[in-house]
Amino acid sequence: MSQLTYIEAITRGLREEMLRDESVFLIGEDIATYGGAFKVTKGFSQEFGTARVIDTPIAESGIVGVAVGAALMGM
């Protein structure tokens, strides 16, 4: 029986939700270009586009601001 790692489970869950709902998007540091620190989002920018997989600068307050603004707008 094949073992599923935490990283694979997270990747599958993110992909499943992005396929299910076009309003789902990802923002974070190096998630589009490099696939994130653990390669969880590797290939996502090619699969879903750079409008839904967005690299941010290293500024947590900015990331939180975008997330709060998106939530206020119904995302």
Coordinates of all heavy atoms in Angstrom, one line a residue:
M1 N 0.8 -1.2 0.0 CA 0.0 0.0 0.0 C 0.9 1.2 0.0 O 1.8 1.3 0.7 CB -0.9 0.0 1.2 CG -1.8 1.2 1.3 SD -2.8 1.3 2.8 CE -4.0 0.0 2.4
S2 N 0.5 2.2 -0.8 CA 1.3 3.4 -1.0 C 1.1 4.4 0.2 O -0.1 4.6 0.6 CB 1.0 4.1 -2.3 OG 1.6 5.3 -2.4
Q3 N 2.1 5.0 0.7 CA 2.0 6.0 1.8 C 1.9 7.4 1.2 O 2.6 7.7 0.2 CB 3.2 5.9 2.7 CG 3.4 4.6 3.4 CD 2.4 4.5 4.5 OE1 2.0 5.5 5.1 NE2 2.0 3.3 4.8
L4 N 1.0 8.2 1.7 CA 0.8 9.6 1.3 C 1.5 10.5 2.3 O 1.2 10.4 3.5 CB -0.7 9.9 1.2 CG -1.1 11.3 0.7 CD1 -0.7 11.4 -0.7 CD2 -2.6 11.5 0.9
T5 N 2.4 11.3 1.8 CA 3.1 12.2 2.8 C 2.2 13.5 3.0 O 1.3 13.7 2.3 CB 4.5 12.7 2.2 OG1 4.2 13.5 1.0 CG2 5.3 11.5 1.8
Y6 N 2.6 14.2 4.1 CA 1.9 15.4 4.4 C 2.0 16.4 3.2 O 1.0 17.0 2.9 CB 2.5 16.1 5.6 CG 2.1 15.5 6.9 CD1 3.0 14.8 7.7 CD2 0.7 15.5 7.4 CE1 2.6 14.3 8.9 CE2 0.4 14.9 8.5 CZ 1.3 14.3 9.3 OH 1.0 13.7 10.5
I7 N 3.1 16.5 2.6 CA 3.3 17.5 1.5 C 2.4 17.1 0.3 O 1.7 17.9 -0.3 CB 4.8 17.5 1.0 CG1 5.7 17.9 2.2 CG2 5.0 18.3 -0.2 CD1 5.4 19.3 2.7
E8 N 2.4 15.8 0.0 CA 1.5 15.3 -1.1 C 0.0 15.6 -0.8 O -0.8 15.9 -1.6 CB 1.7 13.8 -1.3 CG 3.1 13.5 -1.9 CD 3.4 12.0 -1.9 OE1 2.9 11.3 -1.1 OE2 4.2 11.6 -2.7
A9 N -0.4 15.4 0.5 CA -1.8 15.6 0.9 C -2.1 17.1 0.8 O -3.2 17.4 0.3 CB -2.0 15.1 2.3
I10 N -1.3 17.9 1.2 CA -1.5 19.4 1.1 C -1.6 19.8 -0.4 O -2.5 20.5 -0.8 CB -0.4 20.2 1.8 CG1 -0.5 19.9 3.3 CG2 -0.5 21.7 1.5 CD1 0.7 20.4 4.1
T11 N -0.7 19.3 -1.2 CA -0.7 19.6 -2.7 C -2.0 19.1 -3.3 O -2.6 19.9 -4.1 CB 0.5 18.9 -3.4 OG1 1.7 19.5 -2.8 CG2 0.5 19.2 -4.9
R12 N -2.4 17.9 -3.0 CA -3.7 17.4 -3.6 C -4.9 18.2 -3.1 O -5.8 18.5 -3.9 CB -3.8 15.9 -3.1 CG -2.9 15.0 -3.9 CD -3.3 13.5 -3.5 NE -2.3 12.6 -4.0 CZ -2.4 11.3 -3.8 NH1 -3.4 10.8 -3.2 NH2 -1.5 10.5 -4.3
G13 N -4.9 18.6 -1.9 CA -6.0 19.3 -1.3 C -6.1 20.7 -2.0 O -7.2 21.1 -2.4
L14 N -5.0 21.4 -2.1 CA -5.0 22.7 -2.8 C -5.4 22.6 -4.3 O -6.3 23.3 -4.7 CB -3.6 23.3 -2.7 CG -3.1 23.8 -1.4 CD1 -1.6 24.2 -1.4 CD2 -4.0 25.0 -0.9
R15 N -4.9 21.6 -5.0 CA -5.2 21.4 -6.4 C -6.7 21.1 -6.5 O -7.4 21.6 -7.4 CB -4.4 20.3 -7.0 CG -4.7 20.1 -8.5 CD -3.8 19.1 -9.2 NE -2.6 19.8 -9.6 CZ -1.4 19.6 -9.0 NH1 -1.2 18.7 -8.1 NH2 -0.3 20.3 -9.4
E16 N -7.2 20.2 -5.7 CA -8.6 19.8 -5.7 C -9.5 21.0 -5.6 O -10.5 21.2 -6.3 CB -8.9 18.8 -4.6 CG -10.3 18.3 -4.6 CD -10.5 17.3 -3.5 OE1 -9.7 16.3 -3.4 OE2 -11.5 17.4 -2.7
E17 N -9.2 21.9 -4.6 CA -10.1 23.1 -4.4 C -9.9 24.1 -5.5 O -10.9 24.7 -5.9 CB -9.7 23.7 -3.0 CG -10.3 22.9 -1.9 CD -11.7 22.7 -2.0 OE1 -12.5 23.6 -2.1 OE2 -12.1 21.5 -1.9
M18 N -8.7 24.2 -6.0 CA -8.5 25.2 -7.1 C -9.2 24.7 -8.4 O -9.7 25.5 -9.2 CB -7.1 25.4 -7.4 CG -6.4 26.2 -6.3 SD -4.8 26.7 -6.6 CE -5.1 28.1 -7.7
L19 N -9.3 23.4 -8.6 CA -10.1 22.9 -9.7 C -11.6 23.0 -9.5 O -12.3 23.3 -10.5 CB -9.7 21.4 -10.0 CG -8.3 21.1 -10.5 CD1 -8.0 19.6 -10.4 CD2 -8.2 21.6 -11.9
R20 N -12.0 22.8 -8.3 CA -13.4 22.9 -8.0 C -14.0 24.3 -8.0 O -15.1 24.5 -8.4 CB -13.6 22.3 -6.5 CG -15.1 22.1 -6.1 CD -15.2 21.7 -4.7 NE -14.7 22.7 -3.7 CZ -15.4 23.8 -3.4 NH1 -16.6 24.0 -3.9 NH2 -14.9 24.6 -2.5
D21 N -13.2 25.3 -7.6 CA -13.7 26.7 -7.4 C -12.7 27.6 -8.0 O -11.6 27.8 -7.5 CB -13.9 26.9 -5.9 CG -14.5 28.3 -5.6 OD1 -14.7 29.1 -6.5 OD2 -14.9 28.5 -4.4
E22 N -13.1 28.3 -9.1 CA -12.3 29.2 -9.8 C -11.9 30.5 -9.0 O -11.0 31.2 -9.4 CB -12.8 29.6 -11.2 CG -12.8 28.4 -12.1 CD -13.2 28.8 -13.5 OE1 -13.4 30.0 -13.8 OE2 -13.4 27.9 -14.3
S23 N -12.7 30.7 -7.9 CA -12.4 31.9 -7.1 C -11.3 31.7 -6.1 O -10.7 32.6 -5.5 CB -13.6 32.4 -6.4 OG -14.0 31.5 -5.3
V24 N -10.8 30.4 -5.9 CA -9.7 30.1 -5.0 C -8.4 30.6 -5.6 O -8.1 30.3 -6.8 CB -9.7 28.6 -4.7 CG1 -8.5 28.3 -3.9 CG2 -11.0 28.2 -4.0
F25 N -7.6 31.3 -4.8 CA -6.3 31.7 -5.3 C -5.3 31.5 -4.2 O -5.7 31.4 -3.0 CB -6.3 33.1 -5.8 CG -6.6 34.2 -4.8 CD1 -5.6 34.9 -4.2 CD2 -7.9 34.5 -4.5 CE1 -5.9 35.8 -3.3 CE2 -8.2 35.4 -3.5 CZ -7.2 36.1 -2.9
L26 N -4.0 31.5 -4.5 CA -3.0 31.3 -3.5 C -2.1 32.5 -3.6 O -1.7 33.0 -4.6 CB -2.1 30.1 -3.8 CG -2.9 28.8 -3.9 CD1 -1.9 27.7 -4.4 CD2 -3.5 28.4 -2.6
I27 N -1.7 33.0 -2.4 CA -0.7 34.1 -2.3 C 0.4 33.7 -1.3 O 0.1 33.1 -0.3 CB -1.3 35.5 -1.9 CG1 -2.0 35.4 -0.6 CG2 -2.2 36.0 -3.0 CD1 -2.5 36.7 0.0
G28 N 1.6 34.0 -1.6 CA 2.7 33.7 -0.6 C 4.0 33.9 -1.2 O 4.2 34.3 -2.4
E29 N 5.0 33.8 -0.4 CA 6.4 34.0 -0.8 C 7.0 32.9 -1.6 O 7.0 31.7 -1.1 CB 7.3 34.3 0.5 CG 6.7 35.5 1.3 CD 7.2 35.5 2.7 OE1 8.0 34.6 3.1 OE2 6.8 36.4 3.5
D30 N 7.4 33.2 -2.8 CA 8.0 32.2 -3.7 C 7.1 31.0 -4.1 O 7.6 29.9 -4.5 CB 9.3 31.7 -3.2 CG 10.4 32.8 -3.1 OD1 10.3 33.8 -4.0 OD2 11.2 32.8 -2.2
I31 N 5.8 31.1 -4.0 CA 5.0 29.9 -4.3 C 4.8 29.7 -5.8 O 4.5 28.6 -6.2 CB 3.6 30.0 -3.5 CG1 2.8 31.1 -4.0 CG2 3.8 30.0 -2.0 CD1 1.3 31.1 -3.6
A32 N 4.8 30.8 -6.6 CA 4.6 30.6 -8.0 C 5.9 30.3 -8.7 O 6.0 29.3 -9.4 CB 4.1 31.9 -8.6
T33 N 7.0 31.0 -8.5 CA 8.2 30.8 -9.2 C 8.9 29.5 -8.7 O 9.4 28.8 -9.6 CB 9.2 32.0 -8.9 OG1 8.5 33.2 -9.3 CG2 10.5 31.9 -9.7
Y34 N 9.0 29.3 -7.4 CA 9.8 28.2 -6.9 C 8.9 27.0 -6.4 O 9.5 26.0 -6.0 CB 10.8 28.6 -5.9 CG 11.8 29.6 -6.4 CD1 11.7 31.0 -6.0 CD2 12.8 29.2 -7.2 CE1 12.6 31.9 -6.5 CE2 13.7 30.2 -7.7 CZ 13.6 31.5 -7.4 OH 14.5 32.4 -7.9
G35 N 7.6 27.2 -6.3 CA 6.8 26.2 -5.8 C 6.8 26.1 -4.3 O 6.3 25.1 -3.7
G36 N 7.2 27.2 -3.6 CA 7.2 27.2 -2.2 C 8.4 26.5 -1.6 O 9.2 25.8 -2.3
A37 N 8.6 26.7 -0.3 CA 9.8 26.1 0.4 C 9.8 24.6 0.3 O 10.9 24.0 0.2 CB 9.8 26.5 1.9
F38 N 8.7 23.9 0.3 CA 8.6 22.5 0.3 C 8.1 21.9 -1.0 O 7.7 20.8 -1.1 CB 7.8 21.9 1.5 CG 8.4 22.3 2.8 CD1 7.8 23.3 3.5 CD2 9.5 21.7 3.3 CE1 8.4 23.7 4.8 CE2 10.0 22.0 4.5 CZ 9.5 23.0 5.3
K39 N 8.0 22.8 -2.0 CA 7.5 22.5 -3.4 C 6.1 22.0 -3.4 O 5.6 21.3 -4.3 CB 8.4 21.4 -4.1 CG 9.9 21.8 -4.1 CD 10.1 23.0 -5.0 CE 11.6 23.3 -5.0 NZ 11.8 24.7 -5.3
V40 N 5.3 22.5 -2.4 CA 3.9 22.2 -2.4 C 3.1 22.7 -3.6 O 2.2 22.0 -4.1 CB 3.2 22.7 -1.1 CG1 1.7 22.6 -1.1 CG2 3.8 22.0 0.1
T41 N 3.5 23.9 -4.1 CA 2.8 24.5 -5.2 C 3.6 24.4 -6.5 O 3.3 25.2 -7.4 CB 2.4 25.9 -4.9 OG1 3.6 26.7 -4.6 CG2 1.4 26.0 -3.7
K42 N 4.5 23.5 -6.6 CA 5.3 23.3 -7.8 C 4.4 23.0 -9.0 O 3.6 22.1 -9.0 CB 6.3 22.2 -7.7 CG 7.3 22.1 -8.8 CD 8.3 21.0 -8.6 CE 9.2 20.9 -9.8 NZ 10.2 19.9 -9.6
G43 N 4.5 23.9 -10.1 CA 3.7 23.7 -11.3 C 2.3 24.3 -11.2 O 1.6 24.3 -12.2
F44 N 1.9 24.8 -10.1 CA 0.6 25.4 -10.0 C 0.4 26.7 -10.8 O -0.6 26.9 -11.4 CB 0.3 25.8 -8.5 CG -0.3 24.7 -7.7 CD1 0.2 23.4 -7.8 CD2 -1.3 24.9 -6.8 CE1 -0.3 22.4 -7.0 CE2 -1.8 23.9 -6.0 CZ -1.3 22.6 -6.1
S45 N 1.5 27.5 -10.9 CA 1.4 28.7 -11.7 C 1.2 28.4 -13.2 O 0.4 29.1 -13.9 CB 2.5 29.7 -11.5 OG 3.7 29.1 -11.9
Q46 N 1.8 27.3 -13.7 CA 1.6 26.9 -15.1 C 0.2 26.3 -15.3 O -0.5 26.5 -16.3 CB 2.6 25.9 -15.5 CG 4.0 26.4 -15.7 CD 4.7 26.5 -14.3 OE1 4.3 25.9 -13.3 NE2 5.8 27.2 -14.3
E47 N -0.3 25.6 -14.3 CA -1.6 24.9 -14.3 C -2.8 25.9 -14.2 O -3.8 25.8 -14.9 CB -1.7 23.8 -13.3 CG -2.9 23.0 -13.3 CD -2.9 21.8 -12.4 OE1 -1.9 21.5 -11.7 OE2 -4.0 21.2 -12.2
F48 N -2.6 26.8 -13.2 CA -3.8 27.7 -12.9 C -3.5 29.2 -13.3 O -4.5 29.9 -13.2 CB -4.0 27.6 -11.4 CG -4.4 26.2 -10.9 CD1 -3.6 25.5 -10.2 CD2 -5.7 25.7 -11.3 CE1 -3.9 24.2 -9.8 CE2 -6.0 24.4 -10.9 CZ -5.2 23.7 -10.1
G49 N -2.3 29.5 -13.7 CA -2.1 30.9 -14.1 C -1.6 31.8 -13.0 O -1.8 31.5 -11.8
T50 N -0.9 32.8 -13.4 CA -0.2 33.7 -12.4 C -1.3 34.6 -11.7 O -0.9 35.3 -10.8 CB 0.9 34.5 -13.0 OG1 0.3 35.2 -14.2 CG2 2.0 33.7 -13.5
A51 N -2.5 34.7 -12.3 CA -3.5 35.5 -11.6 C -4.1 34.8 -10.4 O -4.7 35.4 -9.5 CB -4.6 35.8 -12.6
R52 N -3.9 33.4 -10.3 CA -4.4 32.7 -9.2 C -3.3 32.1 -8.3 O -3.6 31.7 -7.2 CB -5.3 31.5 -9.7 CG -6.5 32.0 -10.4 CD -7.4 30.8 -10.8 NE -7.9 30.0 -9.7 CZ -8.3 28.8 -9.8 NH1 -8.4 28.2 -11.0 NH2 -8.8 28.1 -8.8
V53 N -2.1 32.1 -8.7 CA -0.9 31.7 -7.9 C 0.0 32.9 -7.9 O 0.7 33.1 -8.9 CB -0.3 30.4 -8.4 CG1 0.8 30.0 -7.5 CG2 -1.3 29.3 -8.6
I54 N 0.0 33.6 -6.8 CA 0.7 34.9 -6.8 C 1.9 35.0 -5.8 O 1.7 34.7 -4.6 CB -0.3 36.0 -6.4 CG1 -1.5 36.0 -7.3 CG2 0.3 37.4 -6.3 CD1 -2.8 36.7 -6.8
D55 N 3.0 35.3 -6.3 CA 4.2 35.5 -5.4 C 4.1 36.9 -4.7 O 3.6 37.8 -5.4 CB 5.5 35.5 -6.3 CG 6.0 34.1 -6.5 OD1 5.8 33.2 -5.7 OD2 6.7 34.0 -7.5
T56 N 4.4 36.9 -3.5 CA 4.4 38.2 -2.7 C 5.8 38.5 -2.2 O 6.7 37.6 -2.1 CB 3.5 38.1 -1.5 OG1 4.0 37.1 -0.6 CG2 2.1 37.7 -1.9
P57 N 6.1 39.7 -1.9 CA 7.3 40.1 -1.3 C 7.3 39.5 0.2 O 6.3 39.1 0.7 CB 7.4 41.6 -1.3 CG 6.0 42.0 -1.5 CD 5.2 40.9 -2.2
I58 N 8.5 39.5 0.8 CA 8.6 39.1 2.2 C 8.1 40.2 3.0 O 8.8 41.1 3.5 CB 10.1 38.7 2.5 CG1 10.6 37.6 1.6 CG2 10.2 38.3 4.0 CD1 12.0 37.3 1.7
A59 N 6.8 40.2 3.2 CA 6.1 41.3 4.0 C 4.8 40.7 4.5 O 3.8 40.8 3.8 CB 5.8 42.5 3.1
E60 N 4.8 40.0 5.6 CA 3.7 39.3 6.2 C 2.5 40.3 6.3 O 1.3 39.9 6.1 CB 4.0 38.6 7.5 CG 4.8 37.4 7.3 CD 6.3 37.6 7.0 OE1 6.8 38.7 7.1 OE2 7.0 36.6 6.6
S61 N 2.7 41.5 6.7 CA 1.6 42.4 6.9 C 0.9 42.7 5.6 O -0.3 42.8 5.6 CB 2.1 43.7 7.5 OG 3.1 44.4 6.7
G62 N 1.7 42.7 4.5 CA 1.1 42.9 3.2 C 0.2 41.7 2.8 O -0.9 41.8 2.2
I63 N 0.7 40.5 3.1 CA 0.0 39.3 2.7 C -1.3 39.2 3.5 O -2.4 38.9 3.0 CB 0.9 38.0 3.0 CG1 2.1 38.0 2.1 CG2 0.1 36.7 2.8 CD1 3.2 37.0 2.5
V64 N -1.2 39.6 4.8 CA -2.4 39.6 5.6 C -3.4 40.6 5.1 O -4.6 40.4 5.1 CB -2.1 39.8 7.1 CG1 -3.3 40.1 8.0 CG2 -1.3 38.7 7.7
G65 N -2.9 41.8 4.7 CA -3.8 42.8 4.2 C -4.5 42.3 2.9 O -5.7 42.6 2.8
V66 N -3.8 41.6 2.0 CA -4.5 41.1 0.8 C -5.5 40.1 1.2 O -6.6 40.1 0.6 CB -3.4 40.5 -0.1 CG1 -4.1 39.7 -1.3 CG2 -2.5 41.6 -0.7
A67 N -5.2 39.2 2.1 CA -6.1 38.2 2.5 C -7.4 38.8 3.2 O -8.5 38.3 2.9 CB -5.4 37.2 3.5
V68 N -7.2 39.7 4.0 CA -8.4 40.4 4.7 C -9.2 41.1 3.6 O -10.4 41.0 3.6 CB -7.9 41.3 5.8 CG1 -9.0 42.2 6.3 CG2 -7.3 40.6 7.0
G69 N -8.6 41.8 2.7 CA -9.3 42.6 1.7 C -10.1 41.6 0.8 O -11.2 41.9 0.5
A70 N -9.4 40.5 0.4 CA -10.1 39.5 -0.4 C -11.3 38.9 0.3 O -12.4 38.7 -0.2 CB -9.2 38.4 -0.8
A71 N -11.2 38.6 1.6 CA -12.3 38.1 2.4 C -13.4 39.1 2.5 O -14.6 38.8 2.4 CB -11.8 37.7 3.8
L72 N -13.1 40.4 2.7 CA -14.1 41.4 2.8 C -14.9 41.6 1.4 O -16.0 41.9 1.4 CB -13.5 42.8 3.1 CG -13.0 42.9 4.6 CD1 -12.2 44.2 4.8 CD2 -14.2 42.9 5.5
M73 N -14.2 41.2 0.3 CA -14.9 41.3 -1.0 C -15.5 40.0 -1.4 O -16.0 39.8 -2.5 CB -13.8 41.7 -2.0 CG -13.2 43.1 -1.8 SD -14.5 44.4 -1.6 CE -15.2 44.4 -3.2
G74 N -15.6 39.0 -0.5 CA -16.3 37.8 -0.7 C -15.5 36.7 -1.3 O -16.1 35.7 -1.8
M75 N -14.2 36.7 -1.3 CA -13.4 35.7 -1.9 C -13.2 34.5 -0.9 O -13.1 34.7 0.3 CB -12.0 36.2 -2.3 CG -12.1 37.2 -3.4 SD -12.7 36.6 -4.9 CE -11.5 35.5 -5.5

